[in-house]
Amino acid sequence: MAQVLEFKLPDLGEGLTEAEIVRWLVEVGDVVAIDQPVVEVETAKAMVEVPCPYGGVVTARFGEEGTELPVGAPLLTVAVGAPEGSSGSGEDSGSAPESSGGSGNVLVGYGTGAPAARRRRIRPNRLDRPVTEAPVSAAPVVKAPVLEAPVVKVLVADASVSEGPVPVVSPLVRRLARQNDIDLRRLAGSGPDGLILRADVDRAIRTAEETATATARAPQVQAQAPVQAQAPAVAVAAAPNGVAAAVDAERIPLRGVRGAVADKLSRSRTEIPDATCWVDADATELMAVRAAMNAATGPSAGPKVSVLALLARICTAALARFPELNSTVDTEAREIVRLSGVHLGFAAQTERGLVVPVVRDAHARNAESIGAEIARLTELARTGKLSPAQLTGGTFTLNNYGVFGVDGSTPIINHPEAAMLGVGRIMPKPWVHQGELAVRQVVQLSLTFDHRVCDGGTAGGFLRYVADCVEQPAVLLRTL
């Protein structure tokens, strides 16, 4: 006897409340095994494949690609148990009973006792029948695809309507197409084997815009005189929130990574009374030390050390001297919580937006170890493979905005942390060195801090120590 079980979007952890469907990995009629990934979703933290805790035949899917679902919403239904061809009379004594082993992945809200299922696909002639409503079996149905009503029949999509998978690999290309209402099935890809690239979507967007502009211009020219008096009402429309918006204005949903960044920065500005101090530092000696490290040969040779890794090591040394800045504020208890370990976040710009991977236990690492971990996390960020755990739990953030070619900034603190060090570009500038004017490698350092955890004296002391280490790297030898 088969049962239809409903698989809901599980709690993916880290306080996430919704996820967007990026790509379905199974079709209606597919046979899935326990723990087999069935859908790829994008959360505010990362893109993840969601495994199904049940094994059986997929009977329904809920939500198209691009749909945002809250945690607990139905994802799909699976018919588990005896296949349709089973007579249930027990005459086939040679057949082995189905395994009752459970899922190895413990998803929030699901147990581990789902029965296993064989990997196979439903034969096409079963799906080609003109019937659009087909009962799975005469067995009782456990859960309905519609939440408030018991399921009697399961809707099965007509296989003749299916057009096959869209030849797109990049989730970014899919998102760009969704945001601009481009039907990927109508595009001819210019990539290998017809793969649809971003350039193909960009071309389609431009073509659609040109067509829309030409279509809108014709009636305006014909009816220009009669509509002249009503022009202001046509040109500007009141948005729902009362803000005037142009009729042709583009509206971009704040969701995914962009939505998470917006929420976090807004909360930081709302809750944290921040202040910023900055200082210029002569980084000539630091650059010379780095060059010497990377040029070493023989037993002293090792992996290349980046400037960011050296600055991160300087930050951990400074936080050991000024632990007030490695803390957070418990607003409900009205307490400052000083943290014993330094989990150093660093800002990384990716195609999906700004992310802050976290180097765990940075206080226990040297510059070489920190650099290796930064390189590893950066690569994961670029490929969109960072897990939510790798993007949370930071206690202090290092923001190298110098890579964008700017000198200074007043960064917003990464809530709920208490401080962030910003680093501008290192540029040759006139500088008084040993009483004489010289061209030196100069960098601007800025510290934004939560004024609740410390006063300006502590923040200034922290920043001055960082600048001293940049100007005289030998200062670090005291703490090594």
Side-chain angles (χ1 to χ4, degrees), residues 74-135:
L75 270 178
L76 49 79
T77 53
V78 179
V80 302
E84 285 184 18
S86 300
S87 62
S89 62
E91 296 177 1
D92 188 4
S93 60
S95 61
E98 293 283 345
S99 170
S100 60
S103 166
N105 287 340
V106 181
L107 298 175
V108 176
Y110 294 90
T112 59
R118 293 173 294 174
R119 287 178 177 267
R120 64 180 180 87
R121 291 183 62 89
I122 295 298
R123 287 178 295 178
N125 59 354
R126 289 178 180 265
L127 293 177
D128 290 341
R129 298 173 184 175
V131 181
T132 58
E133 292 189 1

Coordinates of all heavy atoms in Angstrom, one line a residue, residues 74-135:
P74 N 4.9 23.6 1.4 CA 5.1 22.3 0.7 C 6.1 22.5 -0.5 O 6.0 23.5 -1.3 CB 3.7 22.0 0.2 CG 2.8 22.7 1.0 CD 3.5 24.0 1.4
L75 N 7.0 21.6 -0.6 CA 7.9 21.6 -1.8 C 7.4 20.6 -2.8 O 7.3 20.9 -4.0 CB 9.3 21.2 -1.3 CG 10.3 22.3 -0.9 CD1 11.6 21.8 -0.5 CD2 10.5 23.3 -2.1
L76 N 7.2 19.3 -2.4 CA 6.7 18.3 -3.3 C 6.0 17.2 -2.5 O 6.1 17.2 -1.2 CB 7.8 17.7 -4.1 CG 9.1 17.3 -3.5 CD1 9.0 15.9 -2.8 CD2 10.3 17.2 -4.5
T77 N 5.4 16.3 -3.2 CA 4.8 15.1 -2.5 C 5.4 13.9 -3.2 O 5.7 13.9 -4.4 CB 3.2 15.1 -2.7 OG1 2.9 15.2 -4.1 CG2 2.6 16.2 -1.9
V78 N 5.5 12.9 -2.3 CA 6.2 11.6 -2.8 C 5.3 10.5 -2.4 O 4.9 10.4 -1.2 CB 7.6 11.5 -2.1 CG1 8.2 10.1 -2.6 CG2 8.5 12.6 -2.5
A79 N 5.0 9.6 -3.3 CA 4.3 8.3 -3.0 C 5.3 7.3 -2.6 O 6.2 6.9 -3.4 CB 3.5 7.9 -4.3
V80 N 5.2 6.8 -1.4 CA 6.1 5.8 -0.9 C 5.4 4.5 -0.6 O 4.2 4.5 -0.3 CB 6.9 6.3 0.4 CG1 7.6 7.6 0.1 CG2 5.9 6.6 1.5
G81 N 6.1 3.4 -0.6 CA 5.5 2.2 -0.3 C 5.5 1.3 -1.5 O 6.4 1.3 -2.4
A82 N 4.5 0.4 -1.6 CA 4.4 -0.5 -2.7 C 4.2 0.2 -4.0 O 3.4 1.1 -4.1 CB 3.3 -1.6 -2.4
P83 N 4.8 -0.2 -5.1 CA 4.5 0.3 -6.4 C 3.2 0.0 -6.9 O 2.5 -0.9 -6.4 CB 5.6 -0.3 -7.3 CG 6.0 -1.6 -6.7 CD 5.8 -1.3 -5.2
E84 N 2.7 0.7 -8.0 CA 1.4 0.5 -8.5 C 1.1 -0.9 -9.0 O 0.0 -1.4 -8.9 CB 1.2 1.5 -9.7 CG 1.0 2.9 -9.3 CD 0.6 3.8 -10.5 OE1 0.2 3.2 -11.5 OE2 0.7 5.0 -10.3
G85 N 2.2 -1.6 -9.5 CA 1.9 -2.9 -10.0 C 1.8 -4.0 -9.0 O 1.5 -5.1 -9.3
S86 N 1.9 -3.7 -7.7 CA 1.8 -4.7 -6.7 C 0.4 -5.1 -6.5 O -0.5 -4.3 -6.4 CB 2.4 -4.2 -5.3 OG 3.8 -3.8 -5.5
S87 N 0.2 -6.4 -6.4 CA -1.2 -6.9 -6.2 C -1.6 -6.9 -4.8 O -2.8 -6.9 -4.4 CB -1.3 -8.3 -6.8 OG -0.4 -9.2 -6.1
G88 N -0.6 -6.9 -3.9 CA -1.0 -6.9 -2.4 C -1.5 -8.2 -1.9 O -1.9 -8.4 -0.8
S89 N -1.5 -9.3 -2.8 CA -2.0 -10.6 -2.4 C -1.0 -11.5 -1.7 O -1.3 -12.5 -1.2 CB -2.7 -11.3 -3.6 OG -1.7 -11.6 -4.5
G90 N 0.3 -11.1 -1.9 CA 1.3 -11.9 -1.3 C 1.7 -13.1 -2.1 O 2.4 -14.0 -1.7
E91 N 1.2 -13.2 -3.4 CA 1.5 -14.4 -4.2 C 2.9 -14.4 -4.7 O 3.5 -15.4 -4.9 CB 0.5 -14.4 -5.4 CG -0.9 -14.5 -5.1 CD -1.8 -14.5 -6.3 OE1 -1.3 -14.3 -7.4 OE2 -3.0 -14.6 -6.1
D92 N 3.5 -13.2 -4.8 CA 4.9 -13.1 -5.3 C 5.8 -13.3 -4.1 O 6.3 -12.4 -3.5 CB 5.2 -11.8 -6.0 CG 6.6 -11.8 -6.6 OD1 7.3 -12.8 -6.6 OD2 7.0 -10.7 -7.1
S93 N 6.1 -14.6 -3.8 CA 6.9 -14.9 -2.6 C 8.3 -14.6 -2.8 O 9.1 -14.5 -1.8 CB 6.7 -16.4 -2.2 OG 7.1 -17.2 -3.3
G94 N 8.8 -14.4 -4.1 CA 10.2 -14.2 -4.3 C 10.6 -12.8 -4.1 O 11.8 -12.5 -4.1
S95 N 9.7 -11.9 -4.0 CA 10.0 -10.5 -3.9 C 10.4 -10.2 -2.5 O 9.7 -10.5 -1.5 CB 8.9 -9.6 -4.4 OG 7.8 -9.8 -3.6
A96 N 11.5 -9.4 -2.3 CA 11.9 -9.0 -1.0 C 11.2 -7.8 -0.5 O 10.8 -6.9 -1.3 CB 13.4 -8.7 -1.0
P97 N 10.9 -7.6 0.8 CA 10.2 -6.5 1.3 C 11.1 -5.2 1.1 O 12.3 -5.3 1.1 CB 10.0 -6.8 2.7 CG 11.0 -7.8 3.1 CD 11.3 -8.6 1.8
E98 N 10.4 -4.1 1.0 CA 11.1 -2.8 0.9 C 11.8 -2.5 2.2 O 11.4 -2.8 3.3 CB 10.1 -1.7 0.6 CG 9.4 -1.7 -0.7 CD 10.3 -1.3 -1.8 OE1 11.4 -0.7 -1.5 OE2 10.0 -1.6 -3.0
S99 N 13.0 -1.9 2.1 CA 13.8 -1.6 3.3 C 13.1 -0.4 4.0 O 12.6 0.5 3.4 CB 15.2 -1.2 2.8 OG 15.9 -0.6 3.9
S100 N 13.2 -0.5 5.3 CA 12.6 0.6 6.1 C 13.6 1.5 6.7 O 13.3 2.2 7.6 CB 11.7 0.0 7.2 OG 12.5 -0.8 8.0
G101 N 14.8 1.5 6.1 CA 15.9 2.3 6.6 C 15.6 3.8 6.4 O 15.0 4.2 5.5
G102 N 16.0 4.6 7.4 CA 15.6 6.0 7.4 C 16.7 6.9 6.8 O 17.8 6.4 6.4
S103 N 16.3 8.2 6.6 CA 17.3 9.1 6.1 C 18.4 9.4 7.0 O 18.3 9.4 8.2 CB 16.5 10.5 5.8 OG 17.4 11.5 5.6
G104 N 19.6 9.5 6.4 CA 20.8 9.8 7.2 C 20.9 11.3 7.5 O 21.6 11.7 8.4
N105 N 20.2 12.1 6.7 CA 20.2 13.6 6.9 C 19.1 14.0 7.8 O 17.9 13.7 7.5 CB 20.1 14.3 5.6 CG 21.3 14.3 4.7 OD1 22.4 14.0 5.3 ND2 21.2 14.5 3.4
V106 N 19.4 14.5 8.9 CA 18.3 14.9 9.9 C 17.9 16.4 9.6 O 18.6 17.3 9.9 CB 18.8 14.8 11.3 CG1 17.7 15.2 12.3 CG2 19.3 13.4 11.6
L107 N 16.8 16.5 8.9 CA 16.3 17.8 8.6 C 15.3 18.3 9.7 O 14.6 17.5 10.3 CB 15.5 17.8 7.3 CG 16.3 17.4 6.0 CD1 15.5 17.3 4.8 CD2 17.4 18.4 5.8
V108 N 15.3 19.6 10.0 CA 14.5 20.1 11.0 C 13.0 19.8 10.7 O 12.5 20.2 9.6 CB 14.7 21.6 11.3 CG1 13.7 22.1 12.3 CG2 16.2 21.8 11.7
G109 N 12.3 19.1 11.6 CA 10.9 18.8 11.3 C 10.6 17.5 10.7 O 9.5 17.1 10.4
Y110 N 11.7 16.7 10.4 CA 11.6 15.4 9.8 C 12.3 14.4 10.6 O 13.4 14.6 11.1 CB 12.1 15.4 8.4 CG 11.2 16.3 7.5 CD1 11.5 17.7 7.3 CD2 10.1 15.8 6.8 CE1 10.8 18.5 6.5 CE2 9.3 16.6 6.1 CZ 9.6 18.0 5.9 OH 8.9 18.8 5.1
G111 N 11.8 13.2 10.7 CA 12.4 12.1 11.3 C 13.4 11.4 10.4 O 13.7 11.9 9.3
T112 N 13.8 10.2 10.7 CA 14.7 9.4 9.9 C 14.2 8.1 9.6 O 14.9 7.1 9.3 CB 16.1 9.3 10.6 OG1 15.9 8.6 11.8 CG2 16.7 10.6 10.8
G113 N 12.8 7.9 9.6 CA 12.3 6.6 9.4 C 11.6 6.4 8.0 O 10.8 5.5 7.9
A114 N 11.9 7.2 7.0 CA 11.3 7.1 5.7 C 11.7 5.8 5.0 O 12.9 5.5 5.1 CB 11.5 8.3 4.9
P115 N 10.8 5.1 4.3 CA 11.2 3.9 3.6 C 12.1 4.2 2.4 O 11.9 5.3 1.8 CB 9.9 3.3 3.2 CG 8.9 4.4 3.2 CD 9.4 5.3 4.2
A116 N 12.9 3.3 2.0 CA 13.8 3.5 0.8 C 13.0 3.2 -0.4 O 12.0 2.5 -0.4 CB 15.0 2.6 0.9
A117 N 13.5 3.7 -1.6 CA 12.9 3.4 -2.8 C 13.9 3.2 -3.9 O 15.0 3.7 -3.8 CB 12.0 4.6 -3.3
R118 N 13.6 2.4 -4.9 CA 14.5 2.1 -6.0 C 14.6 3.2 -6.9 O 13.6 3.9 -7.2 CB 14.1 0.8 -6.7 CG 14.2 -0.5 -5.9 CD 13.6 -1.6 -6.6 NE 12.1 -1.4 -6.8 CZ 11.3 -2.2 -7.5 NH1 11.9 -3.3 -8.1 NH2 10.1 -2.0 -7.6
R119 N 15.8 3.5 -7.5 CA 16.0 4.5 -8.5 C 15.5 4.0 -9.8 O 16.0 3.1 -10.4 CB 17.5 4.9 -8.6 CG 18.0 5.7 -7.5 CD 19.5 5.9 -7.7 NE 20.0 6.7 -6.6 CZ 20.2 8.0 -6.6 NH1 19.7 8.7 -7.6 NH2 20.7 8.7 -5.6
R120 N 14.4 4.6 -10.3 CA 13.9 4.3 -11.7 C 13.0 5.4 -12.0 O 12.6 6.2 -11.2 CB 13.2 3.0 -11.7 CG 11.9 2.9 -10.8 CD 11.2 1.6 -10.9 NE 10.0 1.5 -10.1 CZ 8.8 1.9 -10.5 NH1 8.7 2.4 -11.7 NH2 7.8 1.9 -9.7
R121 N 12.6 5.5 -13.3 CA 11.7 6.5 -13.8 C 10.4 5.8 -14.2 O 10.4 4.6 -14.6 CB 12.2 7.2 -15.0 CG 13.4 8.1 -14.6 CD 13.8 8.9 -15.9 NE 12.8 9.7 -16.4 CZ 12.6 11.0 -15.9 NH1 13.4 11.5 -15.0 NH2 11.6 11.7 -16.4
I122 N 9.3 6.5 -14.0 CA 8.0 5.9 -14.5 C 8.1 5.8 -16.0 O 8.5 6.7 -16.7 CB 6.9 6.9 -14.1 CG1 6.7 6.9 -12.6 CG2 5.5 6.5 -14.7 CD1 6.4 5.5 -12.0
R123 N 7.6 4.7 -16.6 CA 7.6 4.5 -18.0 C 6.8 5.6 -18.7 O 5.7 6.0 -18.3 CB 7.1 3.1 -18.4 CG 8.0 2.0 -18.0 CD 7.4 0.7 -18.3 NE 6.3 0.4 -17.5 CZ 5.5 -0.7 -17.6 NH1 5.8 -1.6 -18.5 NH2 4.5 -0.8 -16.9
P124 N 7.3 6.1 -19.9 CA 6.6 7.2 -20.6 C 5.2 6.9 -20.9 O 4.3 7.8 -20.9 CB 7.5 7.4 -21.8 CG 8.8 6.9 -21.5 CD 8.6 5.7 -20.5
N125 N 4.9 5.6 -21.2 CA 3.5 5.4 -21.6 C 2.5 5.6 -20.5 O 1.3 5.7 -20.7 CB 3.4 4.0 -22.2 CG 3.8 2.9 -21.2 OD1 4.3 3.3 -20.1 ND2 3.6 1.6 -21.5
R126 N 3.0 5.6 -19.3 CA 2.1 5.8 -18.1 C 1.8 7.3 -18.1 O 0.7 7.7 -17.7 CB 2.7 5.4 -16.8 CG 2.8 3.9 -16.7 CD 3.5 3.5 -15.4 NE 3.6 2.1 -15.2 CZ 2.8 1.4 -14.5 NH1 1.7 1.9 -13.9 NH2 2.9 0.1 -14.4
L127 N 2.7 8.2 -18.4 CA 2.5 9.6 -18.3 C 1.8 10.2 -19.5 O 1.3 11.3 -19.5 CB 3.8 10.3 -18.1 CG 4.5 10.1 -16.7 CD1 5.8 10.8 -16.7 CD2 3.6 10.5 -15.6
D128 N 1.8 9.4 -20.7 CA 1.2 10.0 -21.9 C -0.3 9.8 -21.9 O -0.9 10.2 -22.9 CB 1.9 9.3 -23.1 CG 3.3 9.7 -23.3 OD1 3.7 10.7 -22.7 OD2 4.1 9.0 -24.0
R129 N -0.8 9.1 -20.9 CA -2.3 9.0 -20.9 C -2.9 10.3 -20.8 O -2.5 11.2 -20.1 CB -2.7 8.1 -19.7 CG -2.1 6.7 -19.8 CD -2.5 5.9 -18.5 NE -1.9 4.6 -18.5 CZ -1.9 3.8 -17.5 NH1 -2.5 4.1 -16.4 NH2 -1.3 2.6 -17.6
P130 N -4.1 10.5 -21.5 CA -4.8 11.8 -21.5 C -5.4 12.2 -20.1 O -5.9 13.3 -20.0 CB -5.9 11.7 -22.6 CG -6.1 10.2 -22.6 CD -4.8 9.5 -22.3
V131 N -5.3 11.3 -19.2 CA -5.9 11.6 -17.9 C -5.0 12.5 -17.1 O -3.8 12.2 -17.0 CB -6.1 10.3 -17.1 CG1 -6.8 10.6 -15.7 CG2 -7.0 9.3 -17.9
T132 N -5.5 13.6 -16.6 CA -4.7 14.6 -15.9 C -4.8 14.4 -14.4 O -4.1 15.0 -13.6 CB -5.1 16.0 -16.2 OG1 -6.5 16.2 -15.9 CG2 -4.9 16.3 -17.7
E133 N -5.8 13.6 -13.9 CA -5.9 13.3 -12.5 C -5.8 11.8 -12.3 O -6.6 11.1 -12.8 CB -7.2 13.8 -11.9 CG -7.3 15.4 -11.9 CD -8.5 15.8 -11.1 OE1 -9.3 14.9 -10.6 OE2 -8.8 17.0 -11.0
A134 N -4.8 11.4 -11.6 CA -4.6 10.0 -11.4 C -4.4 9.6 -10.0 O -3.5 10.2 -9.4 CB -3.4 9.5 -12.3
P135 N -5.2 8.8 -9.4 CA -5.0 8.4 -8.0 C -3.7 7.5 -8.0 O -3.4 6.7 -8.8 CB -6.2 7.5 -7.6 CG -6.7 7.1 -9.0 CD -6.4 8.1 -10.0

